[in-house]
Amino acid sequence: HLQLQESGPGLVKPSETLSLTCTVSGGSTNTSKYYWGWIRQPPGKGLEWLGSVYYNGGTYYNPSLKSRTTMSLDTSKNQFSLKLSSVTAADTAVYYCARILVVVSNWFDPWGQGALVTVSS
Amino acid sequence: DIQMTQSPSSLSASVGDRVTITCRASQSISIYLNWYQQKPGKAPNLLIYAASSLQSGVPSRFSGSGSETDFTLTISSLQPEDSATYYCQQSFSLFTFGPGTKVHIK
């Protein structure tokens, strides 16, 4: 039974870099069957896909955030990570990691429980 | 970019009612459309993938239909535990979520 768990600082100062890690258990990230993705949800708002990383290191980013986003995958640790630079209060959100199946209609399943990151001085 | 819209933004219905939520894409996305349920304080949960396929473990009262630009999620007989926000998501070109539909139980 695959599980994902986000971890990282819950408070980040404006203009700094937000860094989160997703640890995968119960399965391997070293497989061509899945992408690994990040999604965020500002308080009281909807879901926004941030980007995805593939087992070979290939990445896809949301165009609106691409200039500030870096994702990577460490298959030896079964972890993938998100870095979002130059954050502002608008980046305050619950950040989720999720697995994405590489088939028609790539869907997100399962999801981590989410990590609240607040951007404030 | 592909934009997704949902209607209504919220609805209130009684237990046992049939509920339909609509999702529309700004361009044709074939059947690259998934539906999620999210309860307060929880991560979204996959209900329907590829427009009409029911995810394992999801009650059969949930169903999806549609293709190209117009899609629907139907709850055939609303239950108290279905109170949640429902999101559609396209994967035809990158990924975009709809704004969500909040379902309340009367």
Side-chain angles (χ1 to χ4, degrees):
Chain A
H1 177 62
L2 192 87
Q3 292 186 302
L4 297 90
Q5 177 69 58
E6 305 87 351
S7 60
L11 181 64
V12 181
K13 289 182 169 56
S15 81
E16 295 190 344
T17 296
L18 178 159
S19 295
L20 291 172
T21 297
C22 183
T23 300
V24 178
S25 58
S28 175
T29 56
N30 191 16
T31 170
S32 60
K33 292 183 179 179
Y34 307 108
Y35 294 97
W36 306 91
W38 290 97
I39 307 96
R40 71 179 180 181
Q41 185 171 38
K45 297 188 177 181
L47 300 164
E48 179 181 35
W49 169 73
L50 303 179
S52 304
V53 59
Y54 200 37
Y55 81 107
N56 62 2
T59 54
Y60 302 87
Y61 298 136
N62 185 322
S64 68
L65 296 164
K66 185 175 182 177
S67 63
R68 299 197 290 131
T69 309
T70 303
M71 294 182 185
S72 61
L73 176 65
D74 187 336
T75 57
S76 67
K77 294 182 179 180
N78 237 22
Q79 294 177 332
F80 59 104
S81 66
L82 165 71
K83 292 187 187 299
L84 186 66
S85 64
S86 305
V87 297
T88 70
D91 295 309
T92 292
V94 175
Y95 286 76
Y96 295 101
C97 58
R99 184 182 69 175
I100 308 164
L101 191 62
V102 180
V103 291
V104 169
S105 190
N106 317 93
W107 54 87
F108 297 83
D109 181 68
W111 298 57
Q113 66 183 30
L116 175 62
V117 179
T118 302
V119 179
S120 175
S121 55
Chain B
D1 292 10
I2 298 176
Q3 307 301 317
M4 307 300 292
T5 58
Q6 287 182 235
S7 61
S9 56
S10 68
L11 66 89
S12 184
S14 299
V15 171
D17 282 354
R18 182 181 183 88
V19 168
T20 298
I21 298 168
T22 297
C23 175
R24 179 163 290 173
S26 59
Q27 65 183 73
S28 175
I29 59 170
S30 183
I31 60 167
Y32 289 63
L33 191 284
N34 310 306
W35 289 97
Y36 302 86
Q37 176 193 66
Q38 186 180 34
K39 297 184 177 180
K42 299 294 187 181
N45 183 51
L46 177 70
L47 296 176
I48 302 286
Y49 61 91
S52 61
S53 295
L54 189 69
Q55 170 68 346
S56 175
V58 173
S60 59
R61 63 181 179 273
F62 291 93
S63 64
S65 65
S67 64
E68 308 299 337
T69 60
D70 294 310
F71 302 87
T72 58
L73 174 70
T74 299
I75 308 173
S76 60
S77 178
L78 191 67
Q79 298 301 305
E81 61 266 32
D82 300 336
S83 177
T85 301
Y86 294 83
Y87 293 93
C88 61
Q89 170 248 320
Q90 70 82 20
S91 57
F92 184 82
S93 175
L94 300 179
F95 302 101
T96 315
F97 290 89
T101 296
K102 188 170 286 190
V103 174
H104 302 273
I105 308 295
K106 284 182 184 176

